[in-house]
Amino acid sequence: MCGIVGAISSGNVVPVLIDGLKRLEYRGYDSSGIAVHDGEIRRVRRVGRVAEMETAAATENVSGRLGIGHTRWATHGGVTEPNAHPHISAGLIAVVHNGIIENHDEKRDELKAAGYVFTSQTDTEVIAHLVHRHYLLDRDLFAAVQRAGKELVGAYAIAVIAQDQPDLLVVARMGCPLLIGVGEGENFIASDVSAVLSSTRRVMYLEEGDVARLTRDAVQVFDGSGAAVERKLHLSDVSLASLELGPYSHFMQKEIHEQPRALADTIENILDDGFSPALFDGDAEAVLTGVKSVQIIACGTSFYAGMVARYWIESIAGLPCAVEVASEYRYRDAVASPDNLIVTISQSGETLDTMEALKYAKSLGQTKTLSICNVRESAIPRSSAAVFYTRAGAEIGVASTKAFTTQLVALFTLTVTLAKLSGRVSPEQEAAYLDALRQLPGSVQHALNLEPQIKPWADRFAEKNHALFLGRGVHYPVALEGALKLKEITYIHAEAYPAGELKHGPLALVDENMPVVVIAPNDALLEKVKSNMQEVRARGGEIYVFADLDSHFSESEGVHVIRTPRHVGILSPIMHTVPVQLLAYHTALARGTDVDKPRNLAKSVTVE
């Protein structure tokens, strides 16, 4: 959620820090700051956008060859400048931190008793004072960070500089992502590769418990036991162009329209090789062979992707499938089975609840683990026995769009691969599924062409305070995703229900002020959905229907219909997701909300 960037160079690092923080804005934040070494530690912090902090740094003429920066998403303490990072102890130690320190109250009391004065409400200031206390023992910053880390309980990624160590940057990771960017005569650190791409493409990802020391010319990494280790150097394939808006007004708009290409890229290898364990990185053959049931674990939009997959897995692969929110799974007494496949889904690969749920599943003896992820070498794939990487490209908007639809392709691929391994898919059926995938990018492009028809609906929704989304069967999760998108970026209260559940409570809310969105493709449940729509009209509700060309709906008073070009069969949930994304986006425009940075939310959720 929060973002970290740091640099050590022979030149002024302030432009590098500012550029990195701007590239981390998409993660969600409410304040930002930098601390730079120029003979002493100079700090600039501001509440609000990075641009405000940038102006202040320029006004104060801040520069230096060593520095750290941070964008904060408030957890401990309100949105105030004293709570913004970096935090400084006694003018000597400066720290930035992502994560949550669970024993901060205990350490705060301990440090206060030792004479330390706290000026913020944050758990991070505890780290600064704790490092300072250890640093005074022998003036060894690296050892001080190591010792302080052993006293901390919780999740953290930290970067530390010292006033009397102008040529050293020390970082540590436990539970939160952190990477090192390797340059020529300069080195960098960040919580996200996007923050260093302007300076280098060579990156190494720190592992759990790592502590590293960076100078201009060298990087040394030590594991949790203190032993020197080599971490693999990767050449990032993320393009700077993918991080720019281009001709679009918002990243969400850009990413909605990038879906045909993202789907085509994700599908490419499947069309070439067919459904096979070879499509999955890692030890996929062993992981997918002999599976008797599937447990999907995810959060937010990824959880809804898992809900769609449950219908596919049980229908096509004939396997029992459970889908659970990661933050619930990790705290209950789950029943383990060696033949159960644990599937974790995360766009970033760093979602903390999902990561912890995976650790819990593995602690129960679950060895068949598979992750679906959009970011290579992130934490969840590295902890899984097999991986399917979606090829959606960088997703910047907080509200996930192309990650969701490519996750559905990955889950469909997993479904058919499992079915094929158990002999449930004939060559003819496999060919039909491949053909459906082949046609999918074009079908999604046709759905994007509905945008002019959706805009007038958005203008009407912008005046409302509540909305209800309905779907049945495999399209119920699409209704859930539509409601989530609307509430995320428009702040309209929206709920979704299985359409058949309407009469068991939600119907009490329906009146002329409650628009009802219905996902109504021409499938086996269409007639049931039409009956549910009559229940809404009988109570004066106004209905907005996303249907197929051959669904035989007609508009009438209180019933508005937009038709997708045709019914695409088994992959219909992917195509029907696009119109609800567009509805949310244009409603947000009409309401004037911040589309890419909705209030209170963050892109990469690395706190519990």
Side-chain angles (χ1 to χ4, degrees):
M1 302 173 94
C2 305
I4 287 175
V5 65
I8 182 167
S9 176
S10 57
N12 181 20
V13 299
V14 170
V16 175
L17 300 180
I18 297 294
D19 179 72
L21 292 179
K22 286 182 176 179
R23 295 188 184 280
L24 292 173
E25 286 186 293
Y26 78 93
R27 295 168 68 96
Y29 72 107
D30 44 57
S31 61
S32 62
I34 59 173
V36 177
H37 194 296
D38 69 346
E40 61 179 0
I41 293 177
R42 297 184 64 191
R43 176 177 64 182
V44 181
R45 300 182 293 179
R46 289 293 185 274
V47 170
R49 295 301 184 209
V50 171
E52 298 173 44
M53 190 269 296
E54 179 184 17
T55 300
T59 301
E60 297 176 27
N61 198 28
V62 175
S63 67
R65 296 182 297 175
L66 168 66
I68 52 178
H70 191 266
T71 52
R72 176 178 185 252
W73 187 83
T75 54
H76 296 76
V79 181
T80 65
E81 191 170 307
N83 287 335
H85 298 214
H87 288 283
I88 295 178
S89 180
L92 185 61
I93 300 294
V95 174
V96 292
H97 162 231
N98 288 354
I100 289 180
I101 304 303
E102 295 176 8
N103 63 335
H104 69 97
D105 283 334
E106 169 194 333
K107 289 298 173 184
R108 183 186 296 266
D109 292 342
E110 182 182 308
L111 289 162
K112 281 183 176 179
Y116 285 91
V117 176
F118 284 77
T119 60
S120 78
Q121 303 163 296
T122 67
D123 54 343
T124 303
E125 194 176 3
V126 166
I127 303 174
H129 293 320
L130 195 58
V131 171
H132 178 270
R133 185 167 71 172
H134 286 289
Y135 185 69
L136 293 181
L137 297 176
D138 52 15
R139 298 280 169 164
D140 185 333
L141 183 61
F142 179 78
V145 173
Q146 281 184 313
R147 291 193 293 260
K150 294 185 185 303
E151 295 189 42
L152 300 174
V153 177
Y156 58 81
I158 59 175
V160 189
I161 60 175
Q163 188 272 333
D164 54 356
Q165 297 278 303
D167 300 310
L168 181 63
L169 171 59
V170 178
V171 297
R173 181 213 163 153
M174 181 65 73
C176 291
L178 196 64
L179 61 87
I180 295 172
V182 179
E184 298 292 337
E186 57 185 358
N187 289 302
F188 313 89
I189 58 101
S191 51
D192 186 311
V193 70
S194 63
V196 300
L197 282 180
S198 295
S199 302
T200 183
R201 291 188 172 279
R202 296 192 297 157
V203 298
M204 63 175 68
Y205 296 89
L206 296 182
E207 300 285 349
E208 206 78 333
D210 281 356
V211 184
R213 51 185 298 139
L214 288 76
T215 63
R216 291 176 185 85
D217 300 312
V219 173
Q220 295 172 290
V221 183
F222 300 81
D223 65 17
S225 70
V229 292
E230 294 287 335
R231 296 299 180 213
K232 184 179 178 183
L233 198 60
H234 301 268
L235 189 65
S236 175
D237 60 358
V238 177
S239 71
L240 277 174
S242 70
L243 306 177
E244 305 294 342
L245 267 176
Y248 297 97
S249 301
H250 301 91
F251 279 106
M252 184 178 181
Q253 181 191 29
K254 177 176 184 270
E255 287 153 13
I256 290 172
H257 284 269
E258 285 176 340
Q259 286 176 113
R261 169 50 54 192
L263 291 166
D265 289 346
T266 302
I267 289 165
E268 182 179 10
N269 289 342
I270 309 167
L271 298 181
D272 289 342
D273 303 328
F275 298 97
S276 158
L279 296 168
F280 301 81
D281 289 15
D283 192 13
E285 188 81 43
V287 170
L288 299 180
T289 300
V291 169
K292 297 294 191 296
S293 60
V294 179
Q295 171 73 63
I296 298 175
I297 305 168
C299 302
T301 286
S302 296
F303 171 68
Y304 297 149
M307 291 182 68
V308 172
R310 179 186 177 184
Y311 289 93
W312 287 338
I313 290 169
E314 296 196 340
S315 175
I316 298 171
L319 296 172
C321 180
V323 188
E324 192 160 358
V325 172
S327 56
E328 292 296 318
Y329 175 84
R330 63 182 288 205
Y331 289 117
R332 70 171 176 84
D333 295 324
V335 178
S337 167
D339 298 324
N340 190 27
L341 175 64
I342 301 293
V343 180
T344 50
I345 313 171
S346 169
Q347 189 280 141
S348 68
E350 305 285 355
T351 309
L352 185 61
D353 283 320
T354 307
M355 182 71 217
E356 293 300 318
L358 175 59
K359 289 180 184 177
Y360 173 55
K362 291 170 70 175
S363 75
L364 298 177
Q366 300 279 185
T367 58
K368 290 181 178 291
T369 58
L370 182 146
S371 70
I372 292 171
C373 183
N374 192 41
V375 180
R376 289 189 174 272
E377 297 301 324
S378 51
I380 293 174
R382 290 202 307 269
S383 298
S384 302
V387 186
F388 188 101
Y389 285 111
T390 57
R391 298 173 64 185
E395 188 181 67
I396 304 300
V398 167
S400 184
T401 52
K402 61 180 180 175
F404 177 71
T405 49
T406 53
Q407 284 169 358
L408 289 176
V409 166
L411 288 161
F412 182 74
T413 303
L414 172 63
T415 298
V416 182
T417 301
L418 288 170
K420 189 176 174 183
L421 288 171
S422 63
R424 289 179 59 93
V425 173
S426 68
E428 293 76 19
Q429 288 171 314
E430 180 179 14
Y433 290 142
L434 288 171
D435 188 57
L437 284 175
R438 188 175 292 107
Q439 296 183 42
L440 183 62
S443 296
V444 168
Q445 184 58 59
H446 285 307
L448 287 169
N449 295 340
L450 299 173
E451 193 165 10
Q453 299 177 56
I454 292 171
K455 287 180 181 179
W457 284 17
D459 291 337
R460 297 174 200 161
F461 272 70
E463 301 170 355
K464 306 296 184 181
N465 294 314
H466 307 277
L468 190 62
F469 285 69
L470 302 177
R472 294 198 77 144
V474 73
H475 295 92
Y476 165 50
V478 176
L480 285 164
E481 175 63 6
L484 178 62
K485 286 292 159 282
L486 194 70
K487 71 182 78 169
E488 279 182 313
I489 63 170
T490 72
Y491 317 142
I492 294 172
H493 169 244
E495 291 188 72
Y497 277 87
E501 190 70 6
L502 192 63
K503 56 189 174 293
H504 295 293
L507 201 56
L509 299 173
V510 171
D511 61 18
E512 66 277 5
N513 296 314
M514 171 76 85
V516 178
V517 179
V518 182
I519 314 300
N522 188 17
D523 60 14
L525 293 172
L526 177 61
E527 294 306 317
K528 297 291 186 184
V529 171
K530 288 182 176 180
S531 297
N532 301 139
M533 289 169 53
Q534 292 302 318
E535 296 169 2
V536 173
R537 283 301 300 137
R539 276 78 181 176
E542 193 153 6
I543 301 174
Y544 297 81
V545 186
F546 288 115
D548 294 332
L549 190 63
D550 52 358
S551 289
H552 307 297
F553 279 100
S554 57
E555 291 209 1
S556 59
E557 184 179 355
V559 178
H560 313 279
V561 181
I562 291 178
R563 294 176 177 84
T564 58
R566 61 189 181 90
H567 183 51
V568 297
I570 193 75
L571 297 177
S572 175
I574 299 175
M575 188 177 71
H576 275 276
T577 295
V578 175
V580 298
Q581 293 172 345
L582 290 169
L583 177 62
Y585 172 72
H586 285 288
T587 303
L589 290 188
R591 287 172 70 92
T593 60
D594 192 338
V595 175
D596 287 333
K597 303 181 185 70
R599 67 189 184 200
N600 305 334
L601 300 180
K603 181 66 178 175
S604 182
V605 184
T606 54
V607 297
E608 186 176 354

